[in-house]
Amino acid sequence: MSHTQAALPPPAAAAEPVDGLAALPDSCRAVAVCGAAIPRLQPGNTSLRTVEMDGVRVLAGVVTTAAPRLDPADPAHAHSVLVRVTAFSCNYRDKALILKTAVAGREDGFYVVGSEFVGEVVRAGPAVTRVAVGDRVIGDNDWPEARPEGQPTGIPTNHASRELLLLGEAQVARVPRDMPDQVAAAFSIGAQTTYAVARRLQVEPGSRVLVTSAKSNTSLFAIQVLARRGCEVHATSTTRAFEGRLLEMGLRRLYVVDPALPQFLDHPELGPFAREIGGFDAVFDPYFDLHLPRVAGVLRFGGRYATCGLYDQYLPFTGGELPTAAPDYNGALQVALVRNLQLIGSCLGRSDDLHAALADYAREPYPVAVDSVYRGDQVGDFFDRTYNARGRFGKVVYRYA
């Protein structure tokens, strides 16, 4: 597979110092999904573990990979920064990439994982002005606005666990001094997405908002952000296990919904409440293929529905099925048409959404849900907790230090 790298030898000696800065090695660590031949090619690698994910056996561990270089004399690097990653996390979107590699990757190769990170800038190109060497930064997932100097938009990397990352200065954002690494490594995508959704939903104090899949990472951000803006936040989930913690985040009420329920209006508590208030002002939904056909009926006339993703991102690799009935999009669109609903797609967010989230955290830090932190050879436990643990609440983070 083109997305899988060949295995590399152990770390090489450090390169020469640059401009008085400490030398950097020619290779670095990364957390990766590995082909079946990697244990034989790296016999001293004690971190390799096999984890089963949705019936697929995934071999993962810490591997050695080539370190990127920032050349100050190269015009292509004028606006680039080299970041030493200290912690990273994976998201739902990573699962498809992980399973694709496990199912169809090269036996002698590996795929470096991770879509969120925090790290320190250790090199900066001569034209860099937004950040400086020594700054702690996270990824800026600006989408779809064009970035300056032609730097790509969207998530800066699919390989955030690589210990050294070469990125454009517009692809990173400084974090508040008091934000811990484990929080910063779990912040950027959830916060940027949620602030963008809140902006597009045009919520205001007193707005009644329903959040689906309350325990998903993005919904955990949404509940807190919406509550801090004075919204009356309600949510759905398939379990009541974390109701107390959700209420502490500002949730007004949690509704436990059976995945087989055809319409939320048929729920014995949610349906009557929606009718009593004339429908919710807005709905935030991280998985449109699970909820859109069922949730449209609980919105008020002219209400707004926003979604930032879909559940069926990895099922082609596992042969699995949606936990709900086949989506009736025709029925949902008919409801939207008759009731003048606004259906909003919201992918990631703009740079100003992320900077607003960071500024709010700097003014008044709020608890970002971090479930657990892993280090060293605990890669198998990191993957297992991230994707298999039903008792997980919040992001799972891996730290290099």
Side-chain angles (χ1 to χ4, degrees):
M1 300 292 293
S2 60
H3 63 283
T4 308
Q5 305 175 45
L8 293 172
E16 291 298 315
V18 178
D19 297 332
L21 298 173
L24 294 172
D26 292 323
S27 54
C28 61
R29 295 174 292 181
V31 172
V33 179
C34 300
I38 294 299
R40 173 173 53 82
L41 296 173
Q42 297 187 5
N45 191 335
T46 61
S47 69
L48 296 172
R49 296 289 186 276
T50 298
V51 178
E52 185 167 310
M53 293 169 49
D54 292 272
V56 175
R57 292 173 62 83
V58 177
L59 178 65
V62 179
V63 298
T64 300
T65 185
R69 289 289 171 204
L70 193 158
D71 183 358
D74 185 346
H77 291 174
H79 292 274
S80 297
V81 292
L82 192 65
V83 178
R84 187 191 298 277
V85 171
T86 52
F88 79 94
S89 66
C90 291
N91 287 281
Y92 189 76
R93 64 182 296 277
D94 294 279
K95 190 171 184 179
L97 300 173
I98 290 168
L99 292 173
K100 180 179 180 181
T101 302
V103 170
R106 287 168 42 179
E107 286 197 352
D108 65 343
F110 57 82
Y111 178 80
V112 175
V113 304
S115 53
E116 291 190 81
F117 67 90
V118 62
E120 179 186 348
V121 177
V122 293
R123 296 282 190 275
V128 170
T129 59
R130 299 186 181 193
V131 295
V133 172
D135 284 344
R136 290 169 63 241
V137 296
I138 58 176
D140 182 346
N141 313 282
D142 182 45
W143 180 264
E145 301 294 335
R147 286 188 171 125
E149 299 87 41
Q151 295 169 4
T153 58
I155 294 175
T157 178
N158 289 327
H159 316 293
S161 71
R162 192 189 304 274
E163 202 172 7
L164 287 170
L165 297 174
L166 181 63
L167 302 169
E169 64 171 319
Q171 293 180 292
V172 297
R174 285 194 298 266
V175 298
R177 183 176 302 173
D178 295 333
M179 179 181 280
D181 275 357
Q182 64 268 24
V183 170
F187 189 85
S188 65
I189 291 178
Q192 197 161 11
T193 299
T194 298
Y195 271 64
V197 168
R199 169 171 51 81
R200 292 182 172 121
L201 285 176
Q202 302 174 37
V203 295
E204 55 189 25
S207 294
R208 289 189 172 105
V209 185
L210 181 67
V211 176
T212 62
S213 294
K215 203 165 69 71
S216 79
N217 292 322
T218 310
S219 292
L220 291 176
F221 270 99
I223 289 168
Q224 294 195 87
V225 170
L226 294 168
R228 283 163 63 99
R229 296 189 179 193
C231 298
E232 181 182 311
V233 186
H234 298 246
T236 67
S237 179
T238 58
T239 176
R240 202 175 291 279
F242 298 100
E243 183 175 18
R245 297 184 67 176
L246 293 169
L247 294 174
E248 290 174 358
M249 289 180 168
L251 185 68
R252 177 69 63 87
R253 188 172 181 182
L254 179 68
Y255 303 92
V256 178
V257 178
D258 188 327
L261 184 71
Q263 293 290 330
F264 281 6
L265 271 177
D266 297 331
H267 189 278
E269 298 172 340
L270 178 56
F273 179 76
R275 292 187 180 93
E276 176 188 337
I277 64 173
F280 288 92
D281 298 302
V283 168
F284 169 74
D285 180 12
Y287 305 120
F288 73 80
D289 49 349
L290 295 186
H291 300 116
L292 172 58
R294 304 192 293 157
V295 78
V298 301
L299 277 162
R300 67 168 173 81
F301 191 91
R304 295 175 295 278
Y305 166 94
T307 181
C308 63
L310 71 160
Y311 182 87
D312 186 9
Q313 297 186 45
Y314 65 88
L315 297 181
F317 307 115
T318 65
E321 299 179 349
L322 287 174
T324 60
D328 179 14
Y329 296 120
N330 184 60
L333 291 175
Q334 287 186 46
V335 173
L337 176 67
V338 172
R339 297 180 61 79
N340 282 356
L341 303 182
Q342 298 180 44
L343 305 182
I344 303 167
S346 189
C347 180
L348 299 170
R350 303 187 311 220
S351 286
D352 57 354
D353 293 316
L354 178 61
H355 288 292
L358 290 167
D360 283 351
Y361 184 95
R363 280 191 296 269
E364 185 183 350
Y366 54 91
V368 175
V370 175
D371 175 88
S372 49
V373 178
Y374 293 90
R375 294 175 171 85
D377 287 353
Q378 298 175 315
V379 176
D381 294 333
F382 166 76
F383 273 86
D384 189 51
R385 187 71 186 174
T386 299
Y387 293 114
N388 293 335
R390 294 187 63 83
R392 178 181 59 79
F393 188 83
K395 294 295 293 291
V396 180
V397 173
Y398 182 95
R399 294 193 60 156
Y400 281 114

